[in-house]
Amino acid sequence: MNNSTEQFDVVVIGGGPAGATAANDLACQGKRVLIVERGFRIKPCGGAIPPAAIDAFDIPQSQLVARIKSARMISPKNKRVDMPIADSYVGMVDRKDFDPWLRARAASNGAEVRTGNFSQLKYLDSGEVLLTYRDKSPEQKEVSVLTRAVIGADGAKSKVGKQCVPGADKIKSVFAYHEIVKAPAADSSADYKPTRCDVWYQGRLSPDFYAWVFPHGDHASIGMGSAVKSFSATQSVRQLRADVGLTNAETVRREGAPIPLKPLKKWDDGRAVLLAGDAAGVVAPASGEGIFYAMLGGRLAADAVLQFLAHGDPAALRQARKRFMKEHGRVFWVLGLLQAFWYGSDKRREKFVHMCDDPDVQRLTWQSYTQKKLVRSEPMAHFRVFMKDMAQLLGIARA
């Protein structure tokens, strides 16, 4: 280190939805922020964003490549259940364009964005952090900067988390893989609709999660997720493409990455490092939804870091997880139980899709998803869903 070492208030490792949101919020508060984004990687993602996220994070309509008006659930026996979205929609983004836009917005508000790979960090006697990353030059030159706080938003296999936060190296995840293909023409015979998301609950396509066909405007995402390492993701997607008549659709790109499905018990190191997004494990079980929760996690991380910078008390960093779990912990718990039970076998998946045909289930599901909170205004609807769910569990109802 020398006297010319650059100094920042906050360094954010990872420029996806969590990191870029945190950096933008901090920059808007006048903090000097550096984003270190490794680049050259697009996360496999269905791209769904609920209206609650579009409003909360000022996402312009120009970033939406599709507006979804319904979902179709396909059971192991090929039962198809359509779930129309009444009086709302689900926005779809393409991460290839969406993530760079988020970083550009942060940059326009004062954050500095650089491409590089995080190497390590160490604490100095002054309490500052000396952070080192390798740039993307041919020489992969090591660059060191000084900072008062670090936000690790570098994905499910977070290098920041592994180095700094106990338990981060044991994060549970599924492997997600998808292929982006050119969408079929309107007069195509493919089983595809540009305003409908198709979710396949079939063990042959995923033994413990689900497969999907999600519209992306001129393109479509065809993918699957599974924690079973021996299961072939590429074979599954190949089969799904054949099932829906998209075998010959032009493939634009292929992507794969681990997706966490359970929030870590600790998001900070008790000193100056805080995790956000996939690094903190905030992808919803059962649904795999991550963009909204990543952006919320980034915002909460920014709030916590602002308090830390203002008062110097590392306890402020714990507020990010506390606030997140207070708002969404119950939803994650419910979805975790749903995935553990209903995704366990094709027999259970058949019953699960059958339940999705129920009007009460559909209405409450979409209200909770689009508004991003449990709907408490219809107690009788919740009771009816509970009783129908119990009938399925006990085998009283037929699938």
Side-chain angles (χ1 to χ4, degrees), residues 166-177:
D169 58 336
K170 299 179 176 62
I171 193 166
K172 295 182 178 180
S173 61
V174 301
F175 180 77
Y177 171 78

Side-chain angles (χ1 to χ4, degrees), residues 314-330:
L317 301 176
R318 297 199 295 266
Q319 291 302 312
R321 188 183 190 280
K322 286 183 178 179
R323 290 177 61 191
F324 185 94
M325 297 306 291
K326 182 178 180 180
E327 291 182 34
H328 299 283
R330 181 178 297 182

Side-chain angles (χ1 to χ4, degrees), residues 109-243:
N109 286 314
E112 187 167 345
V113 182
R114 299 178 186 172
T115 305
N117 289 317
F118 169 78
S119 296
Q120 63 179 348
L121 61 82
K122 64 178 180 180
Y123 287 95
L124 305 180
D125 292 340
S126 63
E128 292 177 298
V129 175
L130 181 66
L131 184 144
T132 303
Y133 67 91
R134 290 186 179 275
D135 68 18
K136 287 292 184 176
S137 67
E139 299 81 15
Q140 293 191 352
K141 183 175 61 177
E142 279 205 340
V143 181
S144 294
V145 297
L146 283 172
T147 183
R148 298 171 61 194
V150 176
I151 295 177
D154 50 337
K157 301 294 183 181
S158 168
K159 291 177 67 176
V160 176
K162 287 180 179 179
Q163 180 179 333
C164 302
V165 179
D169 58 336
K170 299 179 176 62
I171 193 166
K172 295 182 178 180
S173 61
V174 301
F175 180 77
Y177 171 78
H178 77 166
E179 296 178 1
I180 298 293
V181 306
K182 286 194 174 180
D187 58 355
S188 168
S189 61
D191 183 11
Y192 177 85
K193 189 174 181 179
T195 59
R196 185 189 71 211
C197 285
D198 293 349
V199 187
W200 293 69
Y201 294 100
Q202 298 184 353
R204 67 189 181 91
L205 298 175
S206 173
D208 56 339
F209 203 57
Y210 65 80
W212 70 81
V213 179
F214 288 173
H216 280 188
D218 293 337
H219 301 97
S221 164
I222 306 176
M224 58 78 65
S226 176
V228 180
K229 294 182 179 179
S230 60
F231 192 80
S232 174
T234 54
Q235 176 59 37
S236 172
V237 171
R238 187 181 305 119
Q239 181 61 61
L240 182 54
R241 289 180 65 163
D243 291 345

Side-chain angles (χ1 to χ4, degrees), residues 46 51 106 118 184 255 312 383:
F118 169 78
E255 295 144 0
F383 179 74

Side-chain angles (χ1 to χ4, degrees), residues 5 17 53 72 77 94 105-106 134 144 155 193 238 245 251 262 281 297 302 307 312 328 345 352 389 396-397:
T5 302
R72 172 171 286 182
K77 295 181 179 178
D94 190 327
R105 178 170 68 173
R134 290 186 179 275
S144 294
K193 189 174 181 179
R238 187 181 305 119
T251 301
K262 187 174 183 180
Q307 290 300 311
H328 299 283
S345 69
F352 173 70
D389 193 30
I396 299 172

